[in-house]
Amino acid sequence: MRQIGLILENGFQVMGLSALSAFELANTELGQDAYRMTILSQNGGTVRSTIGVGIETTTLGDMPDTLMVAGIRIPGPLNPELRSYISRAGSEARRVAGVCTGAFVLAEAGLLDGKTATTHWLHARRLQERFPEVRVDEDRIFVQDGNIWTSAGMSAAMDLALALIENDHGAALARNVARRLVVYFRRPGGQSQFSALLELEPRTDRVTRALTYAKEHLRNPLTVEELADAARLSPRQFSRIFREETGQSPAKAVEMLRLEAARAMLEDGRHPMDTVARDAGFADRDRMRRAFVRAYGLPPSSLRRNAAFADAESME
């Protein structure tokens, strides 16, 4: 049985606890207690979240197989005892994981020196400024560098937990756990923290409906007429309202959605370039290449190589 220890501090964010649900459901899928979860804190007793919910914790003791550190809204200096415990985990635990701003805790304990790590994009620059010896990748869902894992914020705790389960028991179990959780099967670690839909920030249901339709039908031509029909507006009305709400033309927004889908497929590394171009709606590789160079300054092949290199480097 593998023990998962999750360290909480006052001011932790409740969503960080979601990772434990994944391990609980892994036990259900396996039909045995493959994981035992313990919630830890420096002094034990009740630890309160940002919304005032209290969680009973156990004092620090024997080192677990996997030590996880939940994020808090405003990371502060570590108590020396807690810093020492987490520092020892780097060599005594099989894995150490920082969820969201938990990366600050790992960095202060010296576990991220010379390593690549991520955190919530809102805090990434501050992490880099406070700990310049850390290679901060602010646009990753999660990062593994040796036995140290870090993740972005909020829902990325679930992606991290699924990745840890896959690391232990394989993709099939992680996929079944994801189904039970009713979440998308683990987003690739290299996937961007940003979403084109969130970046466009539509204000009305009509424009949101058109963008959702576009995301679900990327293989279609997605002309203004097709999108206007999804929004239940005339093409002229749709073009005007769309630009007012998003600041982009419909064609530019569709290209952003196609690029996001293609990039995720490329970073996943399992799809031929022609398949990526077709499924993302670019029609052919050359058109996809031109779009990538415009958006990222690099062709798709370079982004795929960079993702493969980062994954290989994290396994060393």
Side-chain angles (χ1 to χ4, degrees):
M1 182 188 298
R2 302 184 190 279
Q3 184 170 344
I4 307 294
L6 176 65
I7 291 180
L8 300 182
E9 294 182 84
N10 282 314
F12 75 91
Q13 295 191 300
V14 170
M15 204 159 183
L17 294 171
S18 65
L20 298 183
S21 296
F23 296 109
E24 178 186 10
L25 289 174
N27 287 344
T28 301
E29 279 290 317
L30 290 168
Q32 61 178 320
D33 290 335
Y35 295 106
R36 182 162 66 89
M37 287 74 72
T38 305
I39 301 179
L40 306 167
S41 69
Q42 181 182 325
N43 299 315
T46 303
V47 176
R48 298 208 169 272
S49 72
T50 52
I51 62 173
V53 173
I55 298 292
E56 287 302 311
T57 65
T58 301
T59 54
L60 305 177
D62 294 339
M63 194 64 68
D65 171 83
T66 300
L67 181 69
M68 303 180 72
V69 180
I72 61 174
R73 181 177 292 172
I74 304 173
L78 278 180
N79 176 282
E81 181 185 348
L82 184 57
R83 184 192 301 114
S84 174
Y85 183 83
I86 295 171
S87 180
R88 285 195 294 110
S91 56
E92 295 182 16
R94 184 170 62 94
R95 297 179 301 205
V96 184
V99 177
C100 190
T101 56
F104 284 79
V105 177
L106 302 192
E108 189 170 339
L111 298 186
L112 298 185
D113 291 356
K115 293 185 178 294
T116 301
T118 194
T119 189
H120 192 295
W121 62 270
L122 274 172
H123 302 281
R125 290 188 181 178
R126 188 151 60 93
L127 179 65
Q128 188 67 84
E129 289 168 0
R130 279 186 59 185
F131 304 100
E133 64 277 15
V134 181
R135 297 191 295 269
V136 178
D137 189 335
E138 64 183 77
D139 196 26
R140 299 282 292 276
I141 295 295
F142 64 85
V143 171
Q144 177 194 2
D145 193 333
N147 72 328
I148 307 297
W149 301 63
T150 49
S151 77
M154 305 302 178
S155 62
M158 194 66 74
D159 297 285
L160 175 62
L162 289 169
L164 294 172
I165 291 168
E166 181 177 350
N167 183 249
D168 290 338
H169 297 284
L173 177 64
R175 186 177 296 109
N176 289 340
V177 171
R179 286 198 192 103
R180 282 181 173 268
L181 291 165
V182 196
V183 298
Y184 179 77
F185 175 54
R186 183 175 70 72
R187 292 175 288 182
Q191 185 172 321
S192 174
Q193 291 188 34
F194 301 96
S195 160
L197 288 178
L198 288 176
E199 222 169 298
L200 290 165
E201 294 184 319
R203 296 194 302 272
T204 64
D205 289 344
R206 291 175 298 185
V207 174
T208 300
R209 193 160 50 235
L211 285 169
T212 301
Y213 173 87
K215 191 175 178 68
E216 294 173 351
H217 297 83
L218 289 176
R219 287 195 185 191
N220 290 9
L222 296 177
T223 61
V224 169
E225 289 75 18
E226 185 177 357
L227 295 174
D229 186 59
R232 298 172 194 157
L233 293 166
S234 71
R236 187 172 179 179
Q237 281 180 307
F238 175 74
S239 293
R240 175 178 57 79
I241 292 172
F242 191 93
R243 190 178 284 276
E244 286 175 357
E245 291 196 16
T246 68
Q248 302 284 356
S249 69
K252 180 64 176 176
V254 166
E255 183 172 276
M256 290 170 64
L257 292 170
R258 294 194 197 284
L259 285 165
E260 181 177 73
R263 181 174 173 178
M265 292 178 71
L266 289 167
E267 290 174 339
D268 188 44
R270 295 180 296 172
H271 309 281
M273 203 71 75
D274 287 332
T275 301
V276 174
R278 183 188 68 242
D279 288 356
F282 284 108
D284 57 59
R285 293 174 62 167
D286 188 54
R287 190 173 301 180
M288 181 172 73
R289 183 185 185 282
R290 292 198 300 270
F292 266 75
V293 171
R294 277 197 304 273
Y296 305 122
L298 292 170
S301 55
S302 294
L303 286 173
R304 169 168 275 178
R305 281 196 300 271
N306 290 346
F309 176 76
D311 287 343
E313 189 178 52
S314 72
M315 296 299 290
E316 292 178 356

